[in-house]
């Protein structure tokens, strides 16, 4: 598989992490966003993360400098014309992604693989917006990208075996383990994780145990690195509610109904770490 230029669309939380991992894996990257300010913010995060890796002796100073040199920033879609791969990691909004993907497909060659990092949108629906949808696939990275070892590879209805194979090769090239998932809301990991967190909220709401005891129970009894309520605070209760609502609607199954307390906490503005208060409190 030729990998001369990987275009990453969006320099936000996920896009800058994906660009960093591609660059530290030796791949030239074109990082595209809508403004120079967004690109500068993304590059500042990459520089800070690489510096941390140097301090921890994960990579050398030379390797960090080479990785930075491999990343070319742009706001111009014409720069995508020689991309072998595009990994779209722009804002999670269906209309925006459909428009953006159409624009990408107009600039890249017919055999360029186009992947989306979407967490919740249908890969089949996104694929339908590009010419040659058989080269379209979901590549779902986890946050923070440089730290997390997993990529979920999601086949849309149109995705070819060749594109699937290329996605598995790409994951291996980035030193990540790939699992393949079908195109359903939440794919595999969030489909299991988010209802588990919702159940923990129901247990708390019923007054079965305190938040601390629920978290300690799942940490020490199930070897989870962080308890489900602390994880809810980390992810953001608004994000969790949006995911549960998407499952509820997408599967039309009452087993995915969001916990009433989750809805109430979101309405109160208790969103977890980002607002200083969720199931736990934060300074
Ligand atoms: P973010 O808000 O941090 O970054 C989005 C970036 O997209 C911003 O820099 C924004 O300027 C840019 N953007 C918006 N419109 C654009 C356009 N037309 N062209 C180019 N860039 C544009 O969002 P994020 O958290 O990085 O999420 C990005 C994608 O990754 C979403 O699809 C999300 O579902 C998915 N995802 C997020 C996480 C997570 O934990 N945050 C995990 C896995 C997947």
């Amino acid at each position: 598989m030729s990998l001369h230029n990987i275009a990453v669309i969006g320099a936000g939380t996920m896009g800058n992490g994906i660009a960093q991992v591609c660059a530290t894996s030796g791949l030239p990257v074109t990082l595209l966003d809508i403004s120079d300010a967004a690109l500068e913010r993304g590059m500042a995060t990459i520089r800070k993360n690489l510096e941390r890796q140097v301090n921890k002796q994960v990579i050398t100073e030379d390797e960090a400098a080479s990785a930075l040199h491999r990343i070319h920033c742009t706001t111009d879609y014409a720069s995508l014309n020689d991309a072998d791969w595009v990994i779209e990691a722009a804002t999670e909004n269906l209309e925006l992604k459909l428009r953006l993907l159409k624009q990408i497909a107009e600039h890249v060659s017919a055999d360029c693989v186009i992947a989306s990092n979407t967490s919740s949108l249908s890969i089949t629906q996104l694929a339908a917006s590009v010419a040659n949808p058989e080269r379209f696939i979901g590549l779902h990275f986890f946050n923070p990208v440089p730290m997390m070892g997993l990529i979920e590879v999601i086949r849309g209805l149109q995705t070819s075996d060749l594109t699937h194979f290329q996605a598995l090769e790409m994951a291996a090239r980035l030193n990540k383990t790939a699992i393949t998932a079908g195109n359903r809301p939440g794919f595999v990991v969030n489909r299991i994780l988010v209802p588990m967190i919702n159940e923990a909220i129901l247990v708390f709401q019923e007054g079965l145990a305190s938040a601390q005891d629920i978290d300690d129970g799942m940490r020490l009894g199930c070897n989870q690195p962080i308890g489900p309520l602390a994880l809810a605070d980390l992810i953001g209760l608004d994000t969790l509610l949006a995911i549960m609502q998407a499952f509820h609607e997408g599967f039309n199954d009452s087993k995915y109904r969001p916990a009433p307390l989750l809805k109430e906490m979101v309405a109160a503005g208790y969103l977890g770490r980002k607002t200083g208060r969720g199931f736990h409190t934060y300074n």
Side-chain angles (χ1 to χ4, degrees):
M1 178 170 66
S2 105
L3 291 174
H4 300 299
N5 184 4
I6 315 297
V8 178
I9 314 299
T13 310
M14 297 304 288
N16 70 57
I18 296 167
Q20 179 186 326
V21 166
C22 290
T24 51
S25 304
L27 304 175
V29 177
T30 300
L31 181 58
L32 185 148
D33 208 306
I34 38 176
S35 69
D36 289 337
L39 288 165
E40 193 33 57
R41 274 195 302 276
M43 287 307 293
T45 304
I46 294 173
R47 274 192 289 272
K48 198 175 69 199
N49 287 341
L50 288 174
E51 211 177 287
R52 198 176 301 139
Q53 291 193 341
V54 170
N55 291 338
K56 287 186 175 167
Q57 300 185 336
V58 178
I59 55 173
T60 65
E61 252 176 67
D62 279 355
E63 285 166 343
S66 306
L68 280 173
H69 273 115
R70 284 189 200 104
I71 305 175
H72 162 71
C73 288
T74 185
T75 53
D76 183 2
Y77 279 83
S79 309
L80 304 183
N81 61 7
D82 66 341
D84 319 299
W85 263 83
V86 173
I87 304 175
E88 176 278 313
T91 312
E92 188 79 337
N93 174 291
L94 180 64
E95 285 70 38
L96 182 143
K97 285 201 198 270
L98 291 175
R99 185 164 27 89
L100 183 62
L101 289 167
K102 194 162 177 280
Q103 203 174 353
I104 291 166
E106 282 165 7
H107 283 90
V108 298
S109 64
D111 56 355
C112 170
V113 179
I114 306 178
S116 176
N117 184 46
T118 180
S119 298
S120 64
L121 302 173
S122 161
I123 297 303
T124 298
Q125 187 177 9
L126 295 180
S129 67
V130 306
N132 309 329
E134 64 279 0
R135 42 81 178 258
F136 193 92
I137 197 151
L139 216 55
H140 187 224
F141 291 78
F142 288 76
N143 185 14
V145 181
M147 307 282 296
M148 302 299 278
L150 181 69
I151 295 180
E152 278 181 315
V153 174
I154 303 106
R155 291 187 69 147
L157 208 54
Q158 312 94 321
T159 307
S160 68
D161 289 343
L162 174 63
T163 304
H164 182 207
F165 177 72
Q166 287 173 316
L168 297 179
E169 276 202 335
M170 172 58 100
R173 187 74 173 74
L174 300 181
N175 209 14
K176 306 280 188 201
T177 298
I179 63 168
T180 299
N183 181 44
R184 291 287 182 282
F187 313 131
V188 167
V189 174
N190 284 341
R191 165 88 173 269
I192 297 169
L193 176 72
V194 177
M196 187 274 290
I197 295 174
N198 192 54
E199 196 63 32
I201 300 171
L202 286 166
V203 166
F204 178 65
Q205 180 190 300
E206 281 177 37
L208 282 185
S210 68
Q212 193 59 54
D213 280 358
I214 291 168
D215 280 348
D216 287 348
M218 295 304 285
R219 261 188 334 103
L220 302 172
C222 300
N223 249 356
Q224 295 190 350
I226 178 172
L229 299 178
L231 184 55
D233 287 350
L234 189 70
I235 294 171
L237 303 197
D238 50 343
T239 304
L240 281 174
L241 178 58
I243 297 173
M244 280 307 292
Q245 283 167 334
F247 286 1
H248 199 191
E249 258 173 49
F251 292 109
N252 197 17
D253 186 335
S254 65
K255 81 173 177 179
Y256 295 111
R257 73 206 177 288
L261 179 63
L262 174 61
K263 286 185 178 169
E264 204 175 352
M265 287 178 72
V266 171
Y270 301 158
L271 306 183
R273 277 179 186 263
K274 58 187 162 192
T275 58
R277 180 167 173 178
F279 294 100
H280 303 276
T281 47
Y282 305 88
N283 292 325

